[in-house]
Amino acid sequence: MARDPRYDVLFEPVKIGPVTAPNRFYQVPHASGMTNALPRVRAAFREAKAEGGWGVICTGACSIDPSSDDAPLPFASLWDDNDIRAHALMTDAVHRHGSLAGVELWHGGASVMNRASRLPPLSPSGIPWMATHVGFMGNLRPKTMDRADLKDVLAWQAEGARKARTAGFDIVYVYAGMGYLGYEFLLPEYNQRTDEYGGSIENRVRFVRELIDVTKDAVGKDCGVALRISLEELRGRPGIHAESEAHEVIALLADVPDLFDVKMDSSPTDCSASRFTGEGSHEPVIDFVKKLTEKPVVGVGRFTSPDAMVSQIRRGVLDLIGGARPSIADPFLPRKIAEGRLEEIRECIGCNICISSWHDGVPVRCTQNPTAGEEWRRGWHPERVEQAERPERVLVVGAGPAGLECALTLGRGGHEVTLAEAGRTLGGRLAFETRLPGLSAWGRVVDYRRGRLEAMDNVSIYLESALGVDDILDLAPDHVVVATGARWTPMLYSAMEIPVGRLDHPNVFTPDDIAAGRLPDGPTLVFDFDNYYMGGVLTEHLAAQGLAVSYATPAGQASAWTIMTNELPLVHRALSRRKVAVTTLHILADFDGETATLKHLFTGEETRISCRAVLIVGLRLPRSELFDALTARAADVAAAGIRSVERIGDTLAPGAIAHAVHSGHRLARTLGAAAPDRLYRRDAPIVEVEPGFVARIAAE
Ligand code: ADP
Ligand code: SF4
């Protein structure tokens, strides 16, 4: 199909200093968990987006000096020739598709603990980032930068820029956001200096201006120089000469960089989950920037709708549509808009599982796009599936995220697929979960797959079809894939921090009861040791039904694992808004229909809470009866000509939706393959400059 002319504006080139972006789709720097130790994984991950039409592709934060070391969190570096070579793999890959490559040069200042280098972190005034709620607290306080340190950082930035140019980057960043060094100079809480770098806004901006100046001097003839800046805090502070300090900073720097990349200040607001924030949420903070500068402006907002993108440009908010998560969920988003294939866009659901990968220190995972991070390791392309040499008849039982993804990928591979679902709708657990507070956008997991499956002639879908072993033997497919999900149990949790024992009482509920419409009829205690979203979101759900709800967990915080997805602070705010009392570090010991007994996890001290019902959000176990029954009748299965019976998703190992989707995809890619699919290619750092690599050293 042809492109809708309404979207033509998205495909206009934009000049960024000496370079030109071929269109307005700009993949802003984002964490990917891909350090220089994974150069091929990284190059292939970024290349997929260039192939998919993103005009600019940037790396994540790239340290300019060992005094900026985020270990154990993954970060890239540009310290030596091997680093240059590692990045050159990515820039070459991006250039193959006519896109520009950008690098986010970074110094973490007081926000890093330099655990690997053991050098003192640097900061304007020795003020540490304490971050009591995160898992990566440190106990090394930063050094106050003296004049020599200031000079050093400027020299490292210039040197980093030159190395970036040698590596083939077209856009080089100065970073003054997200609590990092440049940002710390802008804010008076961090910057309490009494020299010409502290005090007035003009003085606080000075170091950032100098960083831009040295970068331009180093590479400004060849590369665009971008300033990435967080404006949330500054926008909230009245200025002396303008509406806010954010206005003053932008006015002071209006002509200095070639591009403004504008954003929020901390991960929970900058990269907020859809549970709490909608598309375009940055606009109220960054909407003024274009009015103060002639330079192009890029910003993000989890944009997946081309209409929203066009609106940003037409209304003069942005020149370039920044995307991090939308580009992970669908590397081909620009191409699909260009080719009028909007219904094929795999929209980001805003779950932030991708962010959790960075906190976990591994290559990026995505709920919507199981190929993210697997482009090189497993050779998975986000849009193409190898065609089966011999199409097989495959029965997929269960249409939750795992079954849907498996059926879709098998269908793309040319197999004859039958998808049978017991329920009246597709989606499995999502049929209920998308009705919970803030989770409606997760329906995109189902919507995208339903749309694609319905367009395929070789896939048949049967709803209200609960299959048993005999039904499957009658159907006699070549392969059976069991994707029947998992169920929540009323298991308790012991002081050894493992699930032990059950609590059976008519007024004990599990999430499956709530999903089936069975609700408590009085004050309810939610006991959560699942620790992800379900306990918190069901607490909100019950409170929204007018029930008095309290929440207890053995963890130190409510929905403790959501620290990994940036949601934790917002979960606490949501529970507080709903007047939910939160008790942490306690396990549920007993419940008699009127009183729940909690025990302190460490001291064993007891607390009683009066309540009529208890909802346990704890252990999930596979719903594996069908798989077990098929296995038990192996002879009948073989006699029916069924060559394999596999299980995927929660039936294999209960987990987040991202795991189920990946599991379904993995099985479909390897169905019938002789080689074991557990293996993947292992990347390795580049440890010496390879022969044949010609360093492009530009003139000073
Ligand atoms: P996953 O996350 O692994 O995809 P879900 O629990 O979301 O798992 O989905 C499992 C789906 O399987 C549910 O929609 C459920 O109705 C369906 N299902 C369970 N048992 C059967 C069966 N015997 N026949 C058909 N569908 C089934
Ligand atoms: Fe979007 Fe979730 Fe994928 Fe991240 S993991 S890109 S938030 S769908």
Side-chain angles (χ1 to χ4, degrees), residues 491-502 527 529 554 585-589 599-602:
M491 282 188 79
L492 291 171
Y493 194 73
S494 90
M496 287 175 69
E497 307 199 30
I498 53 171
V500 171
R502 285 172 66 96
F527 176 56
F529 65 88
L585 295 179
H586 278 75
I587 55 178
L588 177 62
K599 267 193 186 167
H600 193 281
L601 184 63
F602 303 142

Side-chain angles (χ1 to χ4, degrees), residues 128-415:
W129 184 57
M130 302 296 285
T132 45
H133 68 284
V134 298
F136 33 89
M137 289 180 224
N139 48 20
L140 178 60
R141 306 294 167 240
K143 172 190 177 198
T144 299
M145 290 167 77
D146 57 24
R147 296 223 157 241
D149 293 320
L150 290 167
K151 245 177 101 193
D152 282 348
V153 174
L154 292 171
W156 299 332
Q157 172 73 22
E159 181 54 23
R162 282 189 288 271
K163 287 193 167 73
R165 178 181 55 191
T166 305
F169 286 106
D170 310 287
I171 298 170
V172 177
Y173 269 72
V174 169
Y175 202 173
M178 304 290 281
Y180 299 132
L181 186 59
Y183 173 91
E184 290 165 15
F185 272 86
L186 296 176
L187 288 190
E189 288 84 349
Y190 276 108
N191 180 354
Q192 300 172 6
R193 298 179 75 93
T194 51
D195 61 8
E196 70 270 32
Y197 292 96
S200 68
I201 191 80
E202 289 79 4
N203 280 1
R204 282 181 273 138
V205 164
R206 190 179 311 279
F207 188 61
V208 174
R209 178 195 287 272
E210 288 177 0
L211 284 168
I212 304 169
D213 287 344
V214 296
T215 311
K216 287 201 109 171
D217 286 349
V219 299
K221 287 197 300 303
D222 308 303
C223 305
V225 174
L227 171 65
R228 191 168 221 204
I229 185 164
S230 291
L231 297 173
E232 196 179 0
E233 274 289 336
L234 292 167
R235 179 96 202 237
R237 297 167 188 226
I240 293 173
H241 319 293
E243 187 185 325
S244 76
E245 290 207 340
H247 288 73
E248 296 192 337
V249 169
I250 297 295
L252 285 166
L253 297 174
D255 298 326
V256 188
D258 298 318
L259 169 78
F260 284 90
D261 180 338
V262 290
K263 64 189 326 237
M264 309 291 260
D265 295 36
S266 71
S267 249
T269 50
D270 187 60
C271 193
S272 182
S274 61
R275 186 173 159 192
F276 301 106
T277 320
E279 192 171 356
S281 62
H282 292 202
E283 188 176 328
V285 168
I286 58 89
D287 58 356
F288 71 94
V289 177
K290 258 186 68 62
K291 296 185 184 75
L292 298 183
T293 178
E294 300 286 304
K295 302 299 171 110
V297 177
V298 62
V300 295
R302 208 162 43 74
F303 297 116
T304 56
S305 139
D307 291 309
M309 298 174 192
V310 169
S311 160
Q312 291 285 315
I313 290 159
R314 295 274 182 237
R315 290 185 296 112
V317 182
L318 298 174
D319 297 294
L320 292 141
I321 302 301
R325 289 172 292 173
S327 74
I328 299 171
D330 196 339
F332 276 59
L333 189 148
R335 280 250 308 247
K336 289 174 184 176
I337 297 173
E339 293 166 11
R341 298 187 284 131
L342 301 192
E343 68 290 352
E344 292 184 38
I345 295 173
R346 197 168 42 234
E347 288 184 282
C348 165
I349 68 167
C351 60
N352 284 0
I353 282 290
C354 46
I355 317 268
S356 78
S357 327
W358 181 63
H359 292 137
D360 276 346
V362 294
V364 71
R365 292 175 292 247
C366 172
T367 300
Q368 274 285 55
N369 175 14
T371 70
E374 304 285 18
E375 300 85 356
W376 184 85
R377 307 198 314 174
R378 294 186 194 270
W380 292 355
H381 189 276
E383 295 295 308
R384 288 190 294 275
V385 176
E386 229 168 77
Q387 291 302 294
E389 273 173 36
R390 203 162 49 93
E392 313 251 23
R393 291 169 50 244
V394 189
L395 171 66
V396 179
V397 187
L404 286 170
E405 176 64 22
C406 188
L408 176 60
T409 310
L410 287 167
R412 286 191 166 146
H415 294 290

